[in-house]
Amino acid sequence: MSTNNLNTQQTVDAAKRDFLKAGAKATAAVAVVTLAPGVTLYSVGAKAAVTGPATSERRWGMLIDATAPEDIWDIAVDACKTEQGWGGGNNPATDPQWIRKVSVKDPKTGAKATLPVMCQHCENPPCVDVCPTGASMQRADGIVLVDKHICIGCRYCMMACPYACRSFVHENVTGQKPHMPRGKGTVESCTLCVHRIDKGQLPACVEAVTTAGSDAMLFGDLNDPNSDISRAVSKYVTQRIRQDLGVEPSVHYRGI
Amino acid sequence: MALDTTVYKEIEGTGADYYALVGWLAVFAAAGLGASYYMEHYGHVVTGMTNAIVWGTPHVFAVFLIVAASGVLNVSSISSVFSKHHYKPMARLSALTALALLAGGLMVLVLDLGRPDRLIVAMTKYNFKSIFAWNIYLYTGFFVIVLIYLWMMMERRFAPHSKKAGLLAFVWRLALTTGTGSIFGFLVARPGYDAAIMAPMFIAMSFAFGLAIFILLVTVTYKASERPLGDLILFKMRNLLGVFIAAVLYFTAAMHLTNLYAAEHMGVERFILMDGGIYTFLFWVVQIGIGSVFPLALLFNPATGRTCQGISIASMMVIVGGLAQLYVIIVGGQAFPLQMFPGMEVSSSFFDGQVHGYAPSLPEVVLGLSGIATALLIVAVAVKYLPLLPVSLSDAHIRISRSLDHHIEDAPFS
Ligand code: SF4
């Protein structure tokens, strides 16, 4: 496997965390990050970019509030499409979806929730275990990625993923982003916007939702006991999808 | 190992029939390459596969061929490892067929990759945690070991060692089938797959499918080349096939019954056994009815079980049933939705919570069939240029080779 391929990608340093904290104000209901407008975030974040490989000292994660009004998830999905250059096809069964809005309903009580589901960046990712070539891999900071250069398109990882979070590129792609090469015949999924967080920015979906004035998505370092996400996760009961499988997803939910 | 008194001879292979056969097989094999190129050029969007059904018809054929490859070697193993000398004259053909079926299956598997051009990556970059990567070793090793085994059987100087090679091949191929079955067994999140019983079930399936193919090959080649084929050997194979079919039935029943016991698997069991539409039909009618019960009846009914025709038809049914069984396991297992939120009603633009549709496309079917054609082509050409087939498999001959063997049987690995 080629972590070297990704050595160029760098981690965020502590400055980013400080920045996030400085720009955040906690509200009473949830430990929430309400950020300054995206522009400010970008400029400060860019300054925070540092060198060095991804380290296991960090473990990036998300906390998603499934009780938020469901329209907000369209904003998150659209932001991902724009950022990563997917979407826009007209073959629903084969078009890739990196993040999707899922509605769940308890048939007994009628209770409903809507939540975004994307790669859950598991600590024990089944996709990485089964990939024959090592194209599916996990960075030291827990982010699960596909190295498109050595993916042979066997799709075993898609069979293994408990969350149906991977897509196979079924046809030629257009409108690729420079930071995100995509290719017919390979598999792709949410990268947690690794190209952004390595520069000290938030994942595109989180930023868009936050900019829209919602506190429904919280991103941060689960290994840092002082991060907002760690505090929130230790304060409220959160759920992770199919926790019973033991894959230890990094995405936490509230209110499913 | 006893001295092989059997006379092996290449088939003549000069008739129009032979050339027509080889020609058609070559056309089919080439069509598979064409289908793969087409799928490659336009992308898998031209197939019936989707982001939910990621393994389709090509995988059904590929897994069938790979599983059968290991099973067909049984005929050699029975003679060399278990010293049942009736089977010995057919050991060469069995080894060759195993190689051919594996080649056909791997061809389909590779040509269905998203990036078959990156085969070299698959051969050079390994993730040792992946059962898939292990299978690459198991397959390559199988080729090498069976080739050596075949060579030892054919080269008189090495004949004394062929039993050891046979033993190694036997062990290796059990590992290979276990590995193939485990590809599915490792998928913890898929309720249709995560059963430990998959591995032994695949071994039983390999025995049945492999022997069925072998019986057809022997009956057809002996008839076509006008060589004698006696009832003795045919009936022995018939009995064995019956046992193997029963074993597959047993494992199938055990798998579904144990699954029914676990509440979490109820959903997928209901789907396959009761309301899965095409999958339920394929399971009960094709796999169980046409592929298991019907052939068992044919084989053990004195009127049909004592005729070459009856045994051949039963073998064909086993093959049809086997393909159906793999279709149900592979495609049916994916069609049933992932249980992301057990007990909840789920919906999304990605078809969460729904039964996923799949219809095989022409290129997929052509690619799958081309794997079978390629395997048969290899056998057809090999029997013409190599002395693989005994001149006679008549009862008298089988008895002679068996009684000669008995005198020297005591020395282990002699
Ligand atoms: S499709 Fe690509 S990333 Fe997925 S298991 Fe196969 S080689 Fe690995």
Side-chain angles (χ1 to χ4, degrees):
Chain A
M1 200 272 323
S2 51
T3 11
N4 350 5
N5 286 6
L6 290 140
N7 275 350
T8 46
Q9 295 167 333
Q10 297 138 11
T11 48
V12 195
D13 73 353
K16 186 212 161 213
R17 233 166 33 228
D18 295 343
F19 157 72
L20 284 176
K21 270 188 241 153
K25 72 173 200 286
T27 69
V30 200
V32 179
V33 185
T34 309
L35 283 171
V39 183
T40 321
L41 179 74
Y42 187 86
S43 62
V44 181
K47 256 188 251 156
V50 284
T51 54
T55 96
S56 56
E57 280 159 29
R58 290 200 184 78
R59 169 134 192 93
W60 300 116
M62 269 196 211
L63 174 59
I64 290 168
D65 184 359
T67 60
E70 63 162 276
D71 301 351
I72 198 75
W73 307 128
D74 295 325
I75 295 177
V77 172
D78 287 343
C80 180
K81 286 183 183 167
T82 313
E83 180 70 26
Q84 306 283 26
W86 58 273
N90 42 20
N91 291 316
T94 51
D95 290 338
Q97 292 197 28
W98 292 25
I99 175 172
R100 63 190 193 270
K101 201 167 106 170
V102 175
S103 303
V104 293
K105 181 177 161 199
D106 188 332
K108 287 195 208 82
T109 63
K112 288 184 199 161
T114 302
L115 53 147
V117 176
M118 73 297 273
C119 173
Q120 305 281 300
H121 298 279
C122 309
E123 196 171 319
N124 309 313
C127 55
V128 172
D129 285 350
V130 301
C131 176
T133 65
S136 280
M137 47 95 161
Q138 186 183 39
R139 295 207 321 182
D141 56 5
I143 299 180
V144 175
L145 298 170
V146 179
D147 182 340
K148 311 271 175 37
H149 301 287
I150 55 173
C151 173
I152 56 174
C154 68
R155 318 186 290 281
Y156 196 15
C157 53
M158 298 177 74
M159 293 289 281
C161 177
Y163 308 106
C165 280
R166 295 200 150 191
S167 296
F168 181 64
V169 184
H170 282 77
E171 44 195 323
N172 278 321
V173 286
T174 51
Q176 296 190 50
K177 303 289 171 185
H179 63 81
M180 183 43 60
R182 305 173 58 214
K184 180 178 68 187
T186 62
V187 164
E188 55 185 29
S189 58
C190 156
T191 64
L192 211 60
C193 277
V194 73
H195 63 291
R196 291 173 58 93
I197 60 177
D198 282 351
K199 285 191 296 193
Q201 298 169 307
L202 289 171
C205 54
V206 181
E207 187 185 276
V209 165
T210 310
T211 309
S214 166
D215 52 19
M217 280 182 120
L218 183 61
F219 169 81
D221 181 3
L222 289 163
N223 272 358
D224 174 2
N226 296 316
S227 68
D228 295 305
I229 187 168
S230 295
R231 280 201 225 123
V233 167
S234 60
K235 193 162 167 195
Y236 306 102
V237 176
T238 60
Q239 294 142 287
R240 289 177 293 168
I241 308 174
R242 290 303 306 264
Q243 211 155 352
D244 57 313
L245 294 174
V247 296
E248 297 290 326
S250 301
V251 180
H252 294 247
Y253 292 86
R254 295 192 63 206
I256 303 181
Chain B
M1 150 100 48
L3 250 187
D4 195 351
T5 51
T6 313
V7 182
Y8 297 88
K9 203 163 182 292
E10 298 84 346
I11 61 160
E12 251 176 47
T14 45
D17 286 355
Y18 178 80
Y19 285 113
L21 175 74
V22 168
W24 275 111
L25 291 175
V27 167
F28 252 96
L33 291 177
S36 164
Y37 176 77
Y38 175 72
M39 282 159 52
E40 220 46 43
H41 184 75
Y42 291 100
H44 274 61
V45 69
V46 297
T47 70
M49 289 178 263
T50 64
N51 278 324
I53 309 282
V54 301
W55 288 352
T57 307
H59 273 79
V60 173
F61 280 93
V63 174
F64 177 83
L65 285 166
I66 293 169
V67 163
S70 127
V72 84
L73 194 66
N74 224 16
V75 176
S76 305
S77 304
I78 293 171
S79 74
S80 65
V81 180
F82 300 108
S83 301
K84 298 275 183 246
H85 298 291
H86 296 106
Y87 290 93
K88 200 157 126 248
M90 298 181 300
R92 294 181 181 185
L93 180 65
S94 137
L96 184 267
T97 312
L99 292 172
L101 291 176
L102 185 64
L106 289 182
M107 177 187 112
V108 176
L109 203 61
V110 167
L111 290 179
D112 180 52
L113 290 177
R115 296 292 304 258
D117 53 310
R118 287 189 182 159
L119 183 59
I120 194 73
V121 174
M123 308 296 285
T124 51
K125 302 228 179 225
Y126 288 108
N127 164 22
F128 286 101
K129 268 183 109 177
S130 168
I131 183 80
F132 236 39
W134 280 98
N135 278 340
I136 297 175
Y137 277 111
L138 289 171
Y139 298 151
T140 323
F142 186 84
F143 268 115
V144 174
I145 291 169
V146 176
L147 261 180
I148 294 176
Y149 176 40
L150 185 60
W151 181 44
M152 284 185 164
M153 282 192 286
M154 295 177 65
E155 183 71 57
R156 243 165 232 283
R157 287 177 290 156
F158 297 131
H161 302 292
S162 75
K163 185 160 183 160
K164 281 175 237 168
L167 186 64
L168 181 61
F170 174 71
V171 174
W172 196 273
R173 75 130 223 268
L174 287 184
L176 183 140
T177 319
T178 309
T180 309
S182 303
I183 287 180
F184 300 97
F186 271 65
L187 300 171
V188 289
R190 302 247 174 202
Y193 293 148
D194 68 332
I197 205 167
M198 278 280 182
M201 188 171 79
F202 266 69
I203 292 183
M205 284 156 67
S206 85
F207 285 8
F209 306 166
L211 187 58
I213 293 177
F214 193 75
I215 290 175
L216 283 176
L217 265 183
V218 169
T219 48
V220 170
T221 35
Y222 273 71
K223 194 159 190 203
S225 60
E226 290 167 357
R227 295 185 185 190
L229 171 64
D231 284 347
L232 184 62
I233 192 67
L234 198 59
F235 290 176
K236 285 216 169 278
M237 290 199 284
R238 172 201 65 192
N239 293 347
L240 209 52
L241 184 62
V243 172
F244 292 160
I245 298 171
V248 177
L249 268 178
Y250 167 77
F251 278 112
T252 307
M255 186 176 88
H256 289 294
L257 288 174
T258 48
N259 268 353
L260 280 172
Y261 201 69
E264 51 168 330
H265 286 136
M266 275 299 201
V268 70
E269 285 303 324
R270 243 197 107 81
F271 177 69
I272 300 288
L273 303 179
M274 290 173 66
D275 42 34
I278 179 73
Y279 306 105
T280 305
F281 172 82
L282 285 174
F283 178 79
W284 287 112
V285 178
V286 186
Q287 178 190 334
I288 302 296
I290 300 178
S292 312
V293 177
F294 182 50
L296 277 180
L298 276 182
L299 294 178
F300 293 115
N301 178 338
T304 45
R306 290 177 174 278
T307 64
C308 182
Q309 234 172 0
I311 298 173
S312 300
I313 292 175
S315 301
M316 260 183 254
M317 297 297 104
V318 170
I319 293 172
V320 171
L323 285 167
Q325 180 174 15
L326 285 166
Y327 194 92
V328 171
I329 292 177
I330 296 176
V331 183
Q334 297 171 84
F336 185 74
L338 278 174
Q339 301 298 296
M340 273 212 295
F341 303 94
M344 301 280 239
E345 284 167 12
V346 186
S347 63
S348 80
S349 59
F350 212 53
F351 310 101
D352 287 293
Q354 296 177 23
V355 170
H356 305 292
Y358 168 78
S361 66
L362 184 65
E364 289 171 87
V365 177
V366 171
L367 177 58
L369 288 175
S370 81
I372 296 184
T374 305
L376 294 179
L377 183 63
I378 295 174
V379 174
V381 173
V383 293
K384 176 169 174 176
Y385 293 102
L386 296 171
L388 295 165
L389 289 180
V391 172
S392 166
L393 283 175
S394 69
D395 294 355
H397 181 86
I398 298 286
R399 282 204 191 91
I400 292 169
S401 87
R402 182 178 141 74
S403 62
L404 276 173
D405 282 342
H406 261 271
H407 295 300
I408 14 185
E409 201 170 63
D410 308 335
F413 297 122
S414 60

Short mmCIF file of all heavy atoms in Angstrom, two decimals, chain A residues 130-161:
data_model
loop_
_atom_site.label_atom_id
_atom_site.label_comp_id
_atom_site.label_asym_id
_atom_site.label_seq_id
_atom_site.Cartn_x
_atom_site.Cartn_y
_atom_site.Cartn_z
N VAL A 130 -10.56 -6.27 3.28
CA VAL A 130 -10.79 -7.19 2.16
C VAL A 130 -10.08 -6.78 0.87
O VAL A 130 -9.87 -7.62 0.00
CB VAL A 130 -12.30 -7.36 1.84
CG1 VAL A 130 -13.05 -7.89 3.05
CG2 VAL A 130 -12.91 -6.07 1.34
N CYS A 131 -9.68 -5.52 0.74
CA CYS A 131 -9.11 -5.05 -0.52
C CYS A 131 -7.85 -5.83 -0.88
O CYS A 131 -6.89 -5.85 -0.12
CB CYS A 131 -8.78 -3.57 -0.43
SG CYS A 131 -7.98 -2.93 -1.91
N PRO A 132 -7.82 -6.51 -2.03
CA PRO A 132 -6.67 -7.36 -2.34
C PRO A 132 -5.38 -6.59 -2.59
O PRO A 132 -4.30 -7.10 -2.32
CB PRO A 132 -7.10 -8.10 -3.61
CG PRO A 132 -8.17 -7.26 -4.21
CD PRO A 132 -8.86 -6.58 -3.08
N THR A 133 -5.49 -5.38 -3.11
CA THR A 133 -4.27 -4.67 -3.49
C THR A 133 -3.82 -3.66 -2.45
O THR A 133 -2.74 -3.10 -2.58
CB THR A 133 -4.47 -3.90 -4.81
OG1 THR A 133 -5.43 -2.86 -4.58
CG2 THR A 133 -4.95 -4.80 -5.92
N GLY A 134 -4.65 -3.38 -1.48
CA GLY A 134 -4.30 -2.33 -0.53
C GLY A 134 -4.68 -0.95 -1.03
O GLY A 134 -4.28 0.06 -0.45
N ALA A 135 -5.49 -0.90 -2.10
CA ALA A 135 -5.95 0.40 -2.57
C ALA A 135 -6.85 1.07 -1.54
O ALA A 135 -6.81 2.28 -1.34
CB ALA A 135 -6.69 0.26 -3.89
N SER A 136 -7.67 0.25 -0.89
CA SER A 136 -8.46 0.76 0.23
C SER A 136 -7.54 0.85 1.41
O SER A 136 -6.95 -0.15 1.80
CB SER A 136 -9.58 -0.21 0.59
OG SER A 136 -10.65 -0.07 -0.27
N MET A 137 -7.40 2.03 1.97
CA MET A 137 -6.46 2.13 3.09
C MET A 137 -6.91 3.17 4.08
O MET A 137 -7.79 3.98 3.83
CB MET A 137 -5.07 2.38 2.55
CG MET A 137 -5.03 3.46 1.53
SD MET A 137 -4.62 4.97 2.31
CE MET A 137 -4.09 5.89 0.91
N GLN A 138 -6.23 3.10 5.22
CA GLN A 138 -6.61 3.98 6.32
C GLN A 138 -5.39 4.80 6.70
O GLN A 138 -4.31 4.24 6.92
CB GLN A 138 -7.06 3.11 7.49
CG GLN A 138 -7.60 3.89 8.65
CD GLN A 138 -7.96 2.94 9.79
OE1 GLN A 138 -7.24 1.99 10.04
NE2 GLN A 138 -9.06 3.21 10.45
N ARG A 139 -5.55 6.08 6.78
CA ARG A 139 -4.44 6.92 7.24
C ARG A 139 -4.29 6.80 8.75
O ARG A 139 -5.21 6.39 9.45
CB ARG A 139 -4.71 8.39 6.90
CG ARG A 139 -4.75 8.70 5.46
CD ARG A 139 -4.36 10.13 5.16
NE ARG A 139 -4.84 11.15 6.10
CZ ARG A 139 -4.60 12.45 5.94
NH1 ARG A 139 -3.91 12.87 4.89
NH2 ARG A 139 -5.05 13.32 6.81
N ALA A 140 -3.14 7.23 9.22
CA ALA A 140 -2.88 7.13 10.65
C ALA A 140 -3.93 7.88 11.46
O ALA A 140 -4.25 7.49 12.58
CB ALA A 140 -1.49 7.66 10.96
N ASP A 141 -4.48 8.93 10.89
CA ASP A 141 -5.50 9.68 11.64
C ASP A 141 -6.91 9.12 11.45
O ASP A 141 -7.89 9.77 11.81
CB ASP A 141 -5.46 11.16 11.26
CG ASP A 141 -5.63 11.37 9.77
OD1 ASP A 141 -5.88 10.39 9.05
OD2 ASP A 141 -5.51 12.53 9.30
N GLY A 142 -6.99 7.92 10.88
CA GLY A 142 -8.27 7.23 10.81
C GLY A 142 -9.07 7.45 9.55
O GLY A 142 -10.10 6.82 9.36
N ILE A 143 -8.63 8.32 8.67
CA ILE A 143 -9.40 8.58 7.46
C ILE A 143 -9.23 7.41 6.49
O ILE A 143 -8.11 6.96 6.24
CB ILE A 143 -8.96 9.90 6.80
CG1 ILE A 143 -9.21 11.05 7.77
CG2 ILE A 143 -9.71 10.12 5.50
CD1 ILE A 143 -8.81 12.39 7.24
N VAL A 144 -10.34 6.91 5.98
CA VAL A 144 -10.32 5.78 5.06
C VAL A 144 -10.41 6.31 3.62
O VAL A 144 -11.32 7.08 3.30
CB VAL A 144 -11.47 4.80 5.37
CG1 VAL A 144 -11.52 3.68 4.33
CG2 VAL A 144 -11.30 4.23 6.77
N LEU A 145 -9.47 5.91 2.80
CA LEU A 145 -9.39 6.42 1.43
C LEU A 145 -9.21 5.29 0.42
O LEU A 145 -8.85 4.17 0.80
CB LEU A 145 -8.20 7.37 1.30
CG LEU A 145 -8.19 8.63 2.17
CD1 LEU A 145 -6.83 9.31 2.08
CD2 LEU A 145 -9.29 9.58 1.72
N VAL A 146 -9.46 5.59 -0.84
CA VAL A 146 -9.14 4.65 -1.92
C VAL A 146 -8.01 5.27 -2.74
O VAL A 146 -8.13 6.41 -3.18
CB VAL A 146 -10.34 4.41 -2.86
CG1 VAL A 146 -9.95 3.45 -3.98
CG2 VAL A 146 -11.53 3.89 -2.10
N ASP A 147 -6.94 4.53 -2.91
CA ASP A 147 -5.89 4.97 -3.81
C ASP A 147 -6.31 4.57 -5.23
O ASP A 147 -6.25 3.41 -5.60
CB ASP A 147 -4.57 4.30 -3.42
CG ASP A 147 -3.42 4.77 -4.30
OD1 ASP A 147 -3.69 5.28 -5.41
OD2 ASP A 147 -2.26 4.61 -3.90
N LYS A 148 -6.75 5.55 -5.99
CA LYS A 148 -7.33 5.25 -7.30
C LYS A 148 -6.30 4.69 -8.27
O LYS A 148 -6.65 4.16 -9.31
CB LYS A 148 -7.92 6.53 -7.92
CG LYS A 148 -8.82 7.30 -7.00
CD LYS A 148 -10.25 6.83 -7.11
CE LYS A 148 -11.17 7.50 -6.11
NZ LYS A 148 -10.93 8.88 -5.81
N HIS A 149 -5.03 4.84 -7.93
CA HIS A 149 -4.00 4.35 -8.85
C HIS A 149 -3.78 2.86 -8.75
O HIS A 149 -3.25 2.25 -9.67
CB HIS A 149 -2.68 5.09 -8.62
CG HIS A 149 -2.82 6.56 -8.81
ND1 HIS A 149 -2.96 7.12 -10.06
CD2 HIS A 149 -2.90 7.58 -7.93
CE1 HIS A 149 -3.10 8.43 -9.93
NE2 HIS A 149 -3.08 8.73 -8.64
N ILE A 150 -4.14 2.27 -7.62
CA ILE A 150 -3.95 0.82 -7.53
C ILE A 150 -5.27 0.07 -7.33
O ILE A 150 -5.28 -1.14 -7.13
CB ILE A 150 -2.92 0.41 -6.46
CG1 ILE A 150 -3.27 0.99 -5.10
CG2 ILE A 150 -1.52 0.83 -6.85
CD1 ILE A 150 -2.37 0.47 -4.00
N CYS A 151 -6.38 0.79 -7.39
CA CYS A 151 -7.68 0.10 -7.33
C CYS A 151 -7.89 -0.64 -8.65
O CYS A 151 -7.76 -0.05 -9.72
CB CYS A 151 -8.80 1.11 -7.11
SG CYS A 151 -10.43 0.38 -7.24
N ILE A 152 -8.19 -1.94 -8.56
CA ILE A 152 -8.42 -2.71 -9.79
C ILE A 152 -9.91 -2.84 -10.11
O ILE A 152 -10.28 -3.48 -11.09
CB ILE A 152 -7.77 -4.12 -9.70
CG1 ILE A 152 -8.29 -4.87 -8.47
CG2 ILE A 152 -6.25 -4.01 -9.68
CD1 ILE A 152 -7.82 -6.32 -8.39
N GLY A 153 -10.73 -2.25 -9.27
CA GLY A 153 -12.16 -2.29 -9.55
C GLY A 153 -12.82 -3.64 -9.32
O GLY A 153 -13.76 -4.00 -10.02
N CYS A 154 -12.34 -4.37 -8.31
CA CYS A 154 -12.93 -5.69 -8.04
C CYS A 154 -14.24 -5.58 -7.26
O CYS A 154 -15.04 -6.49 -7.26
CB CYS A 154 -11.95 -6.58 -7.28
SG CYS A 154 -11.65 -6.01 -5.59
N ARG A 155 -14.42 -4.46 -6.56
CA ARG A 155 -15.66 -4.14 -5.86
C ARG A 155 -15.90 -4.99 -4.61
O ARG A 155 -17.01 -5.03 -4.09
CB ARG A 155 -16.86 -4.24 -6.82
CG ARG A 155 -16.50 -3.63 -8.15
CD ARG A 155 -17.55 -3.51 -9.14
NE ARG A 155 -18.06 -4.69 -9.77
CZ ARG A 155 -17.48 -5.36 -10.77
NH1 ARG A 155 -16.32 -4.96 -11.25
NH2 ARG A 155 -18.06 -6.41 -11.29
N TYR A 156 -14.85 -5.66 -4.17
CA TYR A 156 -14.99 -6.45 -2.94
C TYR A 156 -15.25 -5.53 -1.76
O TYR A 156 -15.99 -5.86 -0.84
CB TYR A 156 -13.71 -7.27 -2.73
CG TYR A 156 -13.82 -8.41 -1.75
CD1 TYR A 156 -15.06 -8.90 -1.31
CD2 TYR A 156 -12.68 -9.04 -1.26
CE1 TYR A 156 -15.13 -9.95 -0.43
CE2 TYR A 156 -12.76 -10.10 -0.38
CZ TYR A 156 -13.99 -10.56 0.04
OH TYR A 156 -14.06 -11.60 0.92
N CYS A 157 -14.64 -4.34 -1.79
CA CYS A 157 -14.85 -3.39 -0.69
C CYS A 157 -16.31 -2.97 -0.61
O CYS A 157 -16.84 -2.73 0.47
CB CYS A 157 -13.95 -2.17 -0.87
SG CYS A 157 -14.09 -1.37 -2.47
N MET A 158 -16.97 -2.90 -1.78
CA MET A 158 -18.38 -2.51 -1.77
C MET A 158 -19.23 -3.62 -1.16
O MET A 158 -20.24 -3.36 -0.51
CB MET A 158 -18.85 -2.20 -3.18
CG MET A 158 -18.10 -1.04 -3.81
SD MET A 158 -18.60 -0.74 -5.51
CE MET A 158 -20.21 0.02 -5.27
N MET A 159 -18.81 -4.85 -1.40
CA MET A 159 -19.51 -5.98 -0.78
C MET A 159 -19.33 -5.94 0.74
O MET A 159 -20.21 -6.35 1.48
CB MET A 159 -18.94 -7.30 -1.29
CG MET A 159 -19.17 -7.60 -2.73
SD MET A 159 -20.88 -7.97 -3.10
CE MET A 159 -21.02 -9.67 -2.57
N ALA A 160 -18.17 -5.45 1.16
CA ALA A 160 -17.85 -5.53 2.58
C ALA A 160 -18.41 -4.36 3.39
O ALA A 160 -18.61 -4.48 4.58
CB ALA A 160 -16.33 -5.60 2.76
N CYS A 161 -18.64 -3.23 2.75
CA CYS A 161 -19.04 -2.04 3.50
C CYS A 161 -20.44 -2.22 4.10
O CYS A 161 -21.40 -2.48 3.38
CB CYS A 161 -19.03 -0.81 2.60
SG CYS A 161 -19.60 0.67 3.46
#
